[in-house]
Amino acid sequence: MQERTKEILNGLTERYPALKVAKNDISAAFEALLASVKSGGKIMICGNGGSAADSAHIVGELMKSFKKTRPIDAKTAARLKEYGKEGSRLALSLEGAIPAVALTENGAFLTAFSNDKDASVAFAQQVYGLGEQRDALVCISTSGNSGNCVLAAVAAKATEIKTVALTGAGGGKLASLADVCVKVPETETYKVQELHLPVYHCICAMLEEEIF
């Protein structure tokens, strides 16, 4: 971990002293996700309700610039410019991305699978259909017991995909399934969610720092 990356993590616990108890797990979650991205993998994310919104939020921070400028690679930029003004526009406008997908966002698939099969399996189906061993899965559940997230984690384990869980203090079933479980020290749903946001912002910033 680079010094600047360590500073980002230390800054988190300075601003949110309650998260000091989770600092080692946050670091481990970052390392697991970084290893996946560096191996050419993507990050899949799932959750329900507010945690579904967090899933989409994380993708927004990873797939475009967050804190740093992210120029695209010179080879791609040069090839784009071969396609006239449209290519030149893309060469200037595109940004480096950390591949990420929210399993909560495909409404057509989610409704079709939920209607035809079993709604609780919809995240797991996407893990099975989209996932590769080099990928990582992030399951966000304030209780750690959200059934569809637990099933997604089981699918990830069976297909050798690394799993990171963001939960409340207890960890629930996800604590024993995930390779890394970040248990923030709250149990009431909205209080857990209040701490999840700075945690995943920190991890996104750390990933960006190391990759770009």
Side-chain angles (χ1 to χ4, degrees):
M1 187 186 298
Q2 299 174 9
E3 284 304 312
R4 175 58 189 148
T5 310
K6 292 178 183 177
E7 290 173 9
I8 294 170
L9 179 58
N10 291 334
L12 172 71
T13 54
E14 288 170 6
R15 296 192 308 276
Y16 299 90
L19 290 172
K20 287 181 180 178
V21 297
K23 187 175 182 178
N24 289 340
D25 289 328
I26 294 168
S27 178
F30 154 74
E31 294 288 358
L33 297 178
L34 180 65
S36 175
V37 174
K38 283 192 169 182
S39 70
K42 62 183 173 293
I43 300 172
M44 301 177 287
I45 313 158
C46 62
N48 299 289
S51 298
D54 287 334
S55 301
H57 189 163
I58 292 169
V59 171
E61 310 297 20
L62 295 179
M63 286 286 288
K64 59 175 287 297
S65 61
F66 179 32
K67 289 165 58 66
K68 297 174 69 73
T69 300
R70 300 185 189 179
I72 63 173
D73 65 278
K75 182 179 178 180
T76 301
R79 291 189 64 184
L80 283 168
K81 290 175 182 177
E82 296 173 7
Y83 292 87
K85 65 179 182 180
E86 290 85 0
S88 295
R89 178 182 177 186
L90 286 173
L92 290 172
S93 300
L94 290 175
E95 297 183 316
I98 298 171
V101 58
L103 304 182
T104 56
E105 298 302 293
N106 190 342
F109 163 77
L110 291 171
T111 54
F113 193 85
S114 298
N115 184 62
D116 297 343
K117 298 290 290 186
D118 179 352
S120 65
V121 182
F123 291 157
Q125 175 66 24
Q126 291 179 88
V127 170
Y128 176 72
L130 295 173
E132 301 176 287
Q133 286 186 14
R134 59 189 178 180
D135 294 339
L137 173 69
V138 177
C139 295
I140 309 175
S141 170
T142 58
S143 67
N145 292 317
S146 301
N148 51 1
C149 291
V150 169
L151 291 174
V154 171
K157 295 291 284 186
T159 50
E160 300 182 49
I161 292 170
K162 291 289 185 184
T163 303
V164 170
L166 298 183
T167 73
K173 294 179 181 178
L174 285 173
S176 61
L177 286 169
D179 296 284
V180 182
C181 185
V182 178
K183 301 183 286 289
V184 302
E186 290 289 354
T187 56
E188 197 168 357
T189 298
Y190 80 94
K191 292 180 181 180
V192 174
Q193 291 173 333
E194 285 177 349
L195 290 179
H196 277 175
L197 188 146
V199 167
Y200 67 69
H201 267 170
C202 177
I203 292 173
C204 288
M206 292 168 74
L207 288 170
E208 183 179 64
E209 186 65 33
E210 292 279 331
I211 294 169
F212 297 100

